[in-house]
Amino acid sequence: MTTRQVPRTIPTSLRRVPEARERFGSFADRYLDAMADGDPLADAFVADFPALGHGRAMRMLRTACREGIAAVPDAPASLVALFAELDAVPAWHDADAIDRDSRHTSRYSRASGIVLGAASLVSGYANSAASRPLELTGRYVENAGARTIEVGSWLLAVNQPGGLTRFSDGFELTVRVRIIHALVRASLRERPDWDTAAWGLPISQSYLAYTLVEFTLIPLRAMRRIGAPYLAHEEAAAYARWRYLGHLLGIEDGLLPRNAAEQERLEEIYLLTRPVVDDYCRALVASINREFLVPEIQGVLPQRLGGQAPRVVHALERLFLGDEIADELAIPRTRLTRVLAVVGPVLSLVNHLRDLVPGTLGPRTRKGKAYEVEQEQRLRRDWNVQHDLVDASPGGGRPHPARGDG
């Protein structure tokens, strides 16, 4: 049950609302209403932060994640209630099946790293309301590399075998992401520059639910387009994994997609109603391209082709996003997009046939896992990032509510 946190009004920045109601019926009503909904359990715990002290509250949270709520004898009722939900594993969740069916997905780790930046993250920037919290907390334009590494490290943890179990690193990171969202939500609601009438509640249920599309449907589709397709049971495991992650993140059942079809429906209504792209959206894309994606592609290309890295990044983004959104985000057009569109299906067929050859998945997976470790270490060294999430990032820069200094 979700507690309404702002008046029941449709944000004025949304477009084509009547068409959405006509096409999606009762689901549109729930999606639009949820623009006013936050995360009651996480929000209640964050409301206790002033009395507890930010540092003490976060230590309580980490202890409850690592040792259980019983290990926090002075835990406030809000934290006890939060972990009562987190500790109750839904009957539909089967972690063993997810681990079994996704044990070879790391064979495509090189491609998935590119897709994370050029598809998953960039796709969210075509919505000026959903990306507004990034603008007001300064997390991307000021340091795109650090933020991308934070997201990548979280995804690496939750995709490890056992990464969804109760006392795993992936579980703790996911719960901390949930509290970071609540801290940002509480901070922005108090700011005079947050326009509730236009944007709804910061990090609302509707936009939070769409993050599952960004990390499941969109990357799976993008992987196929660049010739790195997963097998059918691997894709099913990805949807199952993110259904549970969505539950841990506090997404209500009415918006939590269970499968590919429900993610596709969520993507359709999101794209139909999304606010217009603004200059900040374009600045986000320019920042992640300039500060992260182009340097990363330059490191992959032969030295003589390093100057083509921006063109490769733009081609990938246009392939993943489509020309309409890419035009709105001011991503330059390039003929290389058409080349990738032709080459991708051929590579997909070749790699799919490779996947069916007995005995090949294991060695390729081990090679991919070794690359993940090397890549994680290299990125942290190159970008001087030692923390995992923003709540543990060093101070000294722009204040952030997750650190307790904003």
Side-chain angles (χ1 to χ4, degrees):
M1 193 75 178
T2 300
T3 303
R4 185 158 304 282
Q5 299 191 16
V6 299
R8 185 188 290 268
T9 57
I10 305 302
T12 57
S13 62
L14 295 185
R15 298 181 291 173
R16 298 183 285 264
V17 170
E19 183 180 348
R21 292 191 187 281
E22 182 178 350
R23 284 180 55 184
F24 297 98
S26 61
F27 180 70
D29 294 334
R30 183 68 219 112
Y31 178 81
L32 295 169
D33 284 349
M35 293 286 175
D37 292 338
D39 177 351
L41 291 174
D43 292 341
F45 177 50
V46 164
D48 285 335
F49 271 45
L52 294 170
H54 185 98
R56 182 177 176 224
M58 292 303 291
R59 288 192 296 273
M60 287 180 169
L61 180 73
R62 290 189 180 93
T63 299
C65 286
R66 296 170 186 177
E67 303 176 37
I69 190 64
V72 189
D74 53 350
S78 58
L79 187 62
V80 173
L82 174 63
F83 274 85
E85 179 193 75
L86 291 169
D87 287 333
V89 180
W92 45 258
H93 176 56
D94 188 342
D96 291 338
I98 292 171
D99 284 346
R100 181 192 66 234
D101 290 341
S102 59
R103 65 187 182 275
H104 294 305
T105 55
S106 289
R107 70 190 182 278
Y108 290 134
S109 57
R110 289 181 181 271
S112 65
I114 295 171
V115 163
L116 169 63
S120 295
L121 297 180
V122 173
S123 68
Y125 301 162
N127 184 321
S128 56
S131 62
R132 195 68 61 183
L134 289 173
E135 176 184 8
L136 297 181
T137 58
R139 282 299 291 160
Y140 238 120
V141 167
E142 291 184 4
N143 199 338
R147 180 71 176 104
T148 306
I149 292 168
E150 291 166 1
V151 174
S153 296
W154 170 47
L155 298 181
L156 184 62
V158 300
N159 281 289
Q160 293 297 315
L164 298 180
T165 56
R166 171 58 181 85
F167 296 101
S168 66
D169 291 342
F171 178 92
E172 178 184 335
L173 289 171
T174 303
V175 174
R176 284 168 56 198
V177 167
R178 181 173 180 174
I179 298 305
I180 290 168
H181 288 160
L183 286 164
V184 171
R185 187 182 302 115
S187 175
L188 293 182
R189 288 191 67 196
E190 299 301 319
R191 289 179 52 158
D193 51 355
W194 181 264
D195 189 344
T196 298
W199 307 324
L201 190 72
I203 315 181
S204 69
Q205 281 284 322
S206 301
Y207 290 151
L208 184 60
Y210 182 73
T211 62
L212 270 64
V213 175
E214 292 177 312
F215 292 120
T216 319
L217 175 64
I218 289 173
L220 290 176
R221 185 169 60 208
M223 292 289 281
R224 290 193 295 272
R225 286 177 176 171
I226 60 173
Y230 293 112
L231 298 169
H233 65 271
E234 293 172 330
E235 292 200 352
Y239 287 107
R241 182 187 303 277
W242 279 94
R243 183 185 181 189
Y244 183 57
L245 284 170
H247 167 76
L248 293 180
L249 288 170
I251 300 172
E252 63 169 86
D253 288 344
L255 287 174
L256 183 62
R258 296 171 293 181
N259 50 39
E262 292 189 2
Q263 286 212 11
E264 288 168 357
R265 178 180 65 173
L266 185 57
E267 181 186 41
E268 287 174 12
I269 194 170
Y270 172 92
L271 292 176
L272 178 66
T273 61
R274 66 181 173 88
V276 297
V277 166
D278 63 9
D279 287 341
Y280 180 71
C281 297
R282 288 182 277 272
L284 279 173
V285 174
S287 178
I288 193 174
N289 286 351
R290 178 182 64 252
E291 302 296 335
F292 189 78
L293 287 174
V294 168
E296 288 303 306
I297 293 295
Q298 282 176 330
V300 173
L301 294 174
Q303 187 173 2
R304 61 186 176 84
L305 297 178
Q308 296 298 312
R311 187 164 168 253
V312 173
V313 170
H314 298 151
L316 288 168
E317 289 171 341
R318 282 194 165 270
L319 181 68
F320 299 151
L321 301 175
D323 284 336
E324 178 183 351
I325 293 178
D327 286 342
E328 292 178 29
L329 290 171
I331 298 170
R333 288 178 177 262
T334 168
R335 285 180 290 182
L336 185 57
T337 304
R338 291 196 293 272
V339 176
L340 295 177
V342 172
V343 172
V346 177
L347 287 176
S348 282
L349 177 59
V350 171
N351 280 321
H352 179 68
L353 294 175
R354 288 179 71 197
D355 289 346
L356 299 180
V357 177
T360 63
L361 290 175
R364 291 163 61 203
T365 299
R366 289 190 291 272
K367 186 176 181 180
K369 286 186 176 296
Y371 172 79
E372 289 172 354
V373 173
E374 294 169 2
Q375 180 76 338
E376 170 86 356
Q377 293 173 346
R378 183 190 66 78
L379 289 173
R380 290 188 172 279
R381 181 183 66 249
D382 291 352
W383 293 92
N384 193 28
V385 173
Q386 303 304 320
H387 62 276
D388 48 19
L389 298 175
V390 63
D391 61 319
S393 63
R398 183 168 176 173
H400 193 283
R403 289 195 302 261
D405 59 3

